[in-house]
Amino acid sequence: MRTKEGRLGWLFASPYLLYAVVFFLIPLVWSLFLSATNWNLISPTFSFVGIQNYLEAFKSPGVQAAFFVAFKFMAVFVPLVIALSIIVALIVQGLPRFKGIFLIGFFLPYLASGVVSSLIVKGILSYNSPVNEFLRKAFGLDIDWLGSPFAALFVVALIIAWKFTGYYALILTSGFESINKEVYEAAMIDGVNAWQRFWKITFPLLYPALYTVLILAIGVTFGIFTEVYQLTGGGPNFATNTWQMEIFSRAFTNLQAGYASAIAIIASVVTFISIYVIRKLLELWGKRNGWD
Amino acid sequence: MAGTKKKGLWFRYLIAVAFLLVMIFPYIYMVLNSFADWDQVDRKLIPTHYTLKSYQWLLGGGEAVIPRPWIHAFFNSFIVSAGSTFLMMVTAVMVAYALAKIPFKGRNTINNIILFQMFFPAIILLIPTFLVIQKVGMYDSYWGMILPKALSLWAIFMYTNFFKAIPETFIEAAKLDGASNLQIMFKIVLPMSKSITTVIFLFLFMERWTELLWDMIVTKSDNMLTLNVLLSQMFGPYGGYPGPMYAASVLLTMPIILIFLAFAKKFQEGMQFTLK
């Protein structure tokens, strides 16, 4: 019986084991190996270059940009999406009926392909678009949205925030619902105003849901590709050059497979450490304020 | 008193509707422009003249090399997404059942490896996975797009948590009646998992349907392109044909929205569990 169960367990788990070997273990070793070569993705020959790829990567403007761009996206995207999803959650929370329908409605942007949302935004921001016509006529503003570094970064962050707002609002809503209503009643009696109520009661009690959303959002900032590829190609002047964009263009446009592998390894290490540190800081911040 | 409260309520719904309209405005803009007269596309917030020209262009083939490229790409997307999602669901149920309900030696180790892999930045695997696919001769094929995405760690994780919450007594009772593990899985565990299955299915299918990077790397011929990749390449850096661009966007977006709305109720039920 024991051994039969044991065999069955391994049999059922075998798809994962197979997958882990073929699509995790082998690629992992292969990528370490590649990063020490100068292979160009097509040529049958290559030679070992040791750590030269890494040294070159550290000096490259594209890689340096990618390092900072991840944090720039975090600085713009995370507050934006948190604010929007809290607003949506608060709006939905205030409705006695049809909550579900509104939540479904707000979730719809999550279904959009990054290509589609980028193309729509490109249309909305094209030179002769109603938005730009209006800005020119009303304020004399002529903004080159995708041609200036900060505007391009902001546009991409906004598209991604648009996508995730409804999803995160759903998580926050369930956080709101787990808050005991009596706490509010007690606060009402003590004469607490709405502003204080939000910051002193709702916000701390929302912390677990907020923590989840923050971790998800920070994860998103390290994986941005589609919108950047479609809209800016990493430009202008590397202002939106994310890690994925840098690796993609090095490996599959410039065919520097060895060099790109080295960048991918640097990117992974940086991503892993950053997320780990931010996570610990968030937990510390929560603990210090007595939330959990 | 009741009057002011009612007024406040009206106002709340008004704000909610207004905010919702702003949020889904890009979709509205997309649909309107896909039907707009070509010289009005991207020139008016709400176009005034409408035509089916964009859709005719799209279905007629536009200017691409192979006949009816958009319909072809649509089917490619469907085959790849359906195949990939189906395999991800099957593998996730199998592995999760083993991890949650079959006691065997090494279970905890496998569980820990999965957790480790989940937090491992996947970007490091992009280039070598491409090489693996190339080496086994699957470059530029459906299998090349499907197999590397035939297993989802997230789906395993979700199912494992859900299966663990199913009381052991159900399983024990069935075992006493002589049911095999396969029977237990199909007759007891899966019927209890409908709402979580809906959530997992929708997220997986949606993610696969809108994938760009991998499908773009692993295909080269025109008749292998998925809809998302074709859309990206056709209307990429040089623009042109904005009307058909919106029509193609509608073609890509509508199926996923319809599927989602069809399952919306079950989806909400399932989300209740996942967010606990």
Side-chain angles (χ1 to χ4, degrees):
Chain A
M1 193 64 193
R2 254 286 143 78
T3 50
K4 205 183 149 206
E5 289 255 281
R7 240 180 287 151
L8 201 71
W10 282 97
L11 184 72
F12 272 51
S14 61
Y16 170 69
L17 299 171
L18 194 68
Y19 183 88
V21 171
V22 178
F23 292 115
F24 186 63
L25 217 55
I26 293 176
L28 197 61
V29 176
W30 204 335
S31 123
L32 290 170
F33 168 81
L34 275 177
S35 75
T37 73
N38 65 355
W39 190 47
N40 70 359
L41 204 63
I42 358 182
S43 144
T45 59
F46 58 84
S47 48
F48 285 97
V49 293
I51 58 163
Q52 204 192 313
N53 283 332
Y54 291 90
L55 296 177
E56 204 181 315
F58 286 127
K59 279 185 288 181
S60 130
V63 173
Q64 286 171 0
F67 178 84
F68 290 109
V69 162
F71 295 106
K72 281 182 198 162
F73 267 121
M74 205 186 293
V76 180
F77 165 73
V78 175
L80 197 63
V81 78
I82 296 287
L84 284 173
S85 54
I86 287 183
I87 291 172
V88 167
L90 281 173
I91 287 177
V92 173
Q93 203 53 28
L95 305 175
R97 294 186 64 197
F98 307 120
K99 256 184 213 177
I101 294 176
F102 276 98
L103 280 176
I104 291 289
F106 281 116
F107 190 81
L108 291 179
Y110 188 75
L111 305 173
S113 147
V115 177
V116 168
S117 50
S118 301
L119 289 176
I120 294 172
V121 165
K122 203 174 187 175
I124 292 179
L125 297 180
S126 61
Y127 185 78
N128 287 318
S129 77
V131 174
N132 282 328
E133 283 293 339
F134 172 77
L135 288 177
R136 266 195 298 274
K137 276 198 187 118
F139 304 104
L141 278 174
D142 208 349
I143 303 171
D144 185 3
W145 291 98
L146 299 174
S148 42
F150 180 74
L153 187 99
F154 181 78
V155 167
V156 172
L158 189 67
I159 296 174
I160 301 169
W162 173 73
K163 179 184 167 98
F164 284 96
T165 294
Y167 177 29
Y168 294 168
L170 206 61
I171 299 176
L172 293 176
T173 305
S174 82
F176 274 128
E177 267 158 16
S178 65
I179 297 175
N180 194 339
K181 298 286 172 293
E182 284 166 26
V183 184
Y184 287 107
E185 281 159 26
M188 288 276 257
I189 295 166
D190 290 344
V192 173
N193 67 35
W195 183 252
Q196 289 171 319
R197 201 166 64 212
F198 180 79
W199 287 109
K200 300 274 171 185
I201 303 173
T202 311
F203 194 73
L205 288 175
L206 200 59
Y207 181 74
L210 205 59
Y211 174 79
T212 309
V213 169
L214 276 168
I215 294 294
L216 287 175
I218 286 159
V220 166
T221 56
F222 283 98
I224 299 173
F225 173 75
T226 307
E227 291 80 3
V228 163
Y229 170 79
Q230 199 66 40
L231 282 178
T232 64
N237 197 16
F238 293 131
T240 55
N241 197 41
T242 61
W243 285 114
Q244 334 306 92
M245 192 64 219
E246 175 69 17
I247 292 161
F248 168 79
S249 47
R250 285 296 167 191
F252 298 100
T253 312
N254 298 2
L255 303 181
Q256 298 166 286
Y259 178 56
S261 295
I263 300 178
I265 290 168
I266 297 172
S268 301
V269 172
V270 169
T271 305
F272 191 83
I273 294 177
S274 306
I275 291 182
Y276 183 82
V277 169
I278 291 166
R279 232 184 149 118
K280 286 289 158 213
L281 286 176
L282 270 177
E283 280 163 19
L284 206 69
W285 179 57
K287 272 209 188 96
R288 185 164 288 180
N289 286 287
W291 313 328
D292 42 28
Chain B
M1 193 63 187
T4 50
K5 205 176 175 193
K6 210 166 186 187
K7 224 180 205 171
L9 216 55
W10 257 107
F11 188 63
R12 281 183 192 179
Y13 278 103
L14 193 73
I15 292 200
V17 170
F19 214 84
L20 184 60
L21 279 177
V22 172
M23 281 301 277
I24 59 170
F25 178 73
Y27 284 143
I28 299 171
Y29 186 86
M30 166 183 85
V31 173
L32 291 179
N33 274 295
S34 76
F35 288 107
D37 229 22
W38 281 18
D39 52 3
Q40 287 198 330
V41 175
D42 283 333
R43 299 295 169 91
K44 287 211 158 71
L45 222 44
I46 310 287
T48 48
H49 289 88
Y50 293 91
T51 165
L52 285 174
K53 212 171 142 196
S54 297
Y55 287 92
Q56 280 161 355
W57 187 94
L58 199 69
L59 300 179
E63 298 191 335
V65 191
I66 58 167
R68 303 189 185 283
W70 293 96
I71 301 189
H72 198 90
F74 185 87
F75 279 108
N76 285 345
S77 276
F78 184 77
I79 291 167
V80 168
S81 306
S84 204
T85 310
F86 176 74
L87 288 175
M88 284 193 273
M89 303 290 290
V90 171
T91 50
V93 168
M94 277 178 77
V95 177
Y97 185 80
L99 293 178
K101 291 293 176 215
I102 306 178
F104 66 98
K105 224 179 165 184
R107 183 163 81 159
N108 283 335
T109 318
I110 296 180
N111 213 352
N112 288 337
I113 300 174
I114 290 179
L115 282 180
F116 169 76
Q117 206 187 329
M118 267 182 89
F119 290 104
F120 196 89
I123 181 67
I124 200 172
L125 306 171
L126 183 71
I127 301 166
T129 304
F130 170 79
L131 297 175
V132 168
I133 288 299
Q134 206 180 33
K135 272 274 186 297
V136 295
M138 287 179 181
Y139 176 65
D140 204 25
S141 75
Y142 288 134
W143 284 116
M145 288 188 267
I146 292 173
L147 275 191
K149 294 184 182 291
L151 185 136
S152 156
L153 298 167
W154 172 79
I156 294 177
F157 176 76
M158 298 293 281
Y159 265 129
T160 308
N161 283 347
F162 188 83
F163 291 167
K164 273 185 184 158
I166 295 176
E168 209 57 50
T169 46
F170 283 99
I171 317 281
E172 297 290 322
K175 270 186 187 159
L176 284 178
D177 288 344
S180 69
N181 268 300
L182 268 182
Q183 282 170 326
I184 295 172
M185 197 166 95
F186 281 109
K187 296 257 166 74
I188 301 175
V189 172
L190 281 182
M192 290 176 90
S193 320
K194 274 183 195 150
S195 51
I196 187 88
T197 299
T198 311
V199 170
I200 294 175
F201 166 78
L202 284 175
F203 271 96
L204 292 180
F205 190 84
M206 193 277 311
E207 213 167 291
R208 194 62 195 84
W209 184 259
T210 56
E211 171 68 32
L212 177 71
L213 181 55
W214 179 253
D215 295 350
M216 186 164 77
I217 292 171
V218 85
T219 54
K220 65 158 191 264
S221 52
D222 287 326
N223 57 10
M224 287 313 296
L225 298 180
T226 62
L227 192 52
N228 207 31
V229 176
L230 181 61
L231 185 63
S232 163
Q233 292 187 352
M234 201 73 168
F235 303 109
Y238 310 109
Y241 298 104
M245 177 192 100
Y246 287 110
S249 299
V250 170
L251 187 66
L252 180 71
T253 312
M254 274 310 143
I256 195 84
I257 288 191
L258 291 179
I259 292 176
F260 176 74
L261 290 179
F263 289 108
K265 199 152 173 59
K266 269 265 171 294
F267 174 77
Q268 273 194 318
E269 278 173 37
M271 283 306 272
Q272 298 292 337
F273 173 81
T274 58
L275 299 177
K276 285 258 157 68

